[in-house]
Amino acid sequence: MTIAKSASTALPQTNITFAPFTQDHLADGLRMSQAVQWPHRAEDWALTLSVSDGVVAIADGQVVGTALCSGFGAVATMNMIIVDAAMRGRGLGRALMERVIALGGTRELRLVATADGLPLYEKLGFQATGRILQHQGIARSAKPELPVATGTTDDIARLVRMDTAASGLSRDALLATIAAGGEILTHQDGFAMVRSFGRGKVVGPIVAKDAATARALMAEAASRCAGQFLRVDLVEESGLASYAQDLGLDHAGGGIAMRRAQAPASARSTDFKTYALVSQALG
């Protein structure tokens, strides 16, 4: 989830300093995301920060830019990249990106770009790999075509193996944290997680061996959230967009998945696929 405008001009004469993003900056991050009409709550920022390092830009004592780098083994996601509206077009977005890219080190770097941010990310070496489709709405109940069970924290190790096989990301701590505060849905050939986010609930990740399993997991999530606001960030290649609409989740935007460098292929397997992201920030 990114917002930044490409610019070739130098930073403004305003005295801008950069500092590590800490918990003391969560309120500033929330303020900035609200200004660009992102739905994140303070809790959503805190979850992302719990697995991230980051940077803030400060001008005249006020935070005017944020960017986080979430490291997951050989891969890191760049996220929560926001530039204050009054500071755009002056190179601040590029300065923030250069700093979080440095935090990513030699990892493969991924992000989900807005149209505004796309030109800058391309200049920084990111290449488009597909689209992410945001679907949301009031969930409708549907009977899963395959049996889905309720998982427990005892399942985490198995779920992490499936998730890493699908994505190449090592997200043990993140999935354990989500599981502790949300619901785990399991099938022998996949899993999904449901948690509070933004305006209601979100289902993600959805990881499965095949589309039938992914549909069953999404139907179970919608049934458990029936009558409530539910969001899912689908990988376009999943082919689940029309099914999401059947569940009451209409297309509401999304972004462009981008990658810089490439993690070793050995980190992934063709047995499992990611059908929906944890979030656009966390892959």
Side-chain angles (χ1 to χ4, degrees), residues 137-142 215 218-219 222-223 242-249:
I138 304 303
R140 292 198 289 261
S141 184
R215 287 194 302 269
M218 193 157 67
S223 296
S242 61
Y243 189 66
Q245 291 181 311
D246 292 342
L247 298 173
L249 312 181

Side-chain angles (χ1 to χ4, degrees), residues 2 18 22 27 71 139 153 158 175 179 185 189 204 211 216 236 260 273:
T2 55
F18 296 90
T22 70
T153 53
R158 181 173 69 92
L175 296 188
L185 311 179
D189 291 333
E236 185 177 36
R260 186 176 189 262
K273 295 180 182 179

Side-chain angles (χ1 to χ4, degrees), residues 26 34 78 102 276:
L26 284 173
Q34 289 173 337
M78 313 280 99

Side-chain angles (χ1 to χ4, degrees), residues 70-110:
S70 307
F72 301 116
V75 180
T77 64
M78 313 280 99
N79 54 72
M80 310 312 286
I81 303 160
I82 311 176
V83 174
D84 185 276
M87 303 295 290
R88 293 181 199 160
R90 307 182 188 185
L92 182 53
R94 186 182 190 104
L96 286 165
M97 279 300 299
E98 288 171 346
R99 284 163 173 79
V100 290
I101 286 172
L103 291 175
T106 59
R107 297 180 178 98
E108 175 187 307
L109 306 181
R110 300 179 191 174

Side-chain angles (χ1 to χ4, degrees), residues 154-173:
D154 291 338
D155 295 308
I156 291 297
R158 181 173 69 92
L159 306 188
V160 166
R161 287 194 294 272
M162 287 190 276
D163 182 58
T164 302
S167 67
L169 303 166
S170 299
R171 300 192 286 195
D172 311 49

Side-chain angles (χ1 to χ4, degrees), residues 46-65:
L47 174 64
T48 303
L49 183 60
S50 72
V51 291
S52 306
D53 295 309
V55 61
V56 293
I58 302 170
D60 298 326
Q62 172 122 339
V63 172
V64 295

Side-chain angles (χ1 to χ4, degrees), residues 6-228:
S6 176
S8 58
T9 55
L11 289 173
Q13 294 301 311
T14 304
N15 183 28
I16 296 177
T17 59
F18 296 90
F21 195 121
T22 70
Q23 290 191 348
D24 292 338
H25 298 116
L26 284 173
D28 294 301
L30 179 62
R31 168 181 56 80
M32 295 195 68
S33 61
Q34 289 173 337
V36 294
Q37 299 184 328
W38 289 359
H40 298 69
R41 309 165 301 152
E43 296 89 341
D44 303 322
W45 270 94
L47 174 64
T48 303
L49 183 60
S50 72
V51 291
S52 306
D53 295 309
V55 61
V56 293
I58 302 170
D60 298 326
Q62 172 122 339
V63 172
V64 295
T66 64
L68 297 181
C69 171
S70 307
F72 301 116
V75 180
T77 64
M78 313 280 99
N79 54 72
M80 310 312 286
I81 303 160
I82 311 176
V83 174
D84 185 276
M87 303 295 290
R88 293 181 199 160
R90 307 182 188 185
L92 182 53
R94 186 182 190 104
L96 286 165
M97 279 300 299
E98 288 171 346
R99 284 163 173 79
V100 290
I101 286 172
L103 291 175
T106 59
R107 297 180 178 98
E108 175 187 307
L109 306 181
R110 300 179 191 174
L111 57 79
V112 178
T114 62
D116 283 344
L118 185 63
L120 172 61
Y121 305 135
E122 289 177 334
K123 289 179 181 178
L124 291 171
F126 287 85
Q127 296 182 330
T129 59
R131 294 192 63 85
I132 304 302
L133 306 178
Q134 179 183 331
H135 282 253
Q136 61 189 40
I138 304 303
R140 292 198 289 261
S141 184
K143 183 178 180 180
E145 59 195 274
L146 298 171
V148 176
T150 300
T152 71
T153 53
D154 291 338
D155 295 308
I156 291 297
R158 181 173 69 92
L159 306 188
V160 166
R161 287 194 294 272
M162 287 190 276
D163 182 58
T164 302
S167 67
L169 303 166
S170 299
R171 300 192 286 195
D172 311 49
L174 175 63
L175 296 188
T177 299
I178 293 172
E183 291 184 87
I184 304 172
L185 311 179
T186 64
H187 179 274
Q188 63 181 7
D189 291 333
F191 78 97
M193 291 183 166
V194 179
R195 70 186 190 280
S196 296
F197 175 85
R199 295 169 56 189
K201 301 281 189 178
V202 64
V203 53
I206 300 175
V207 174
K209 282 189 175 181
D210 52 57
T213 302
R215 287 194 302 269
L217 292 163
M218 193 157 67
E220 180 67 20
S223 296
R224 296 191 185 198
C225 297
Q228 302 178 61

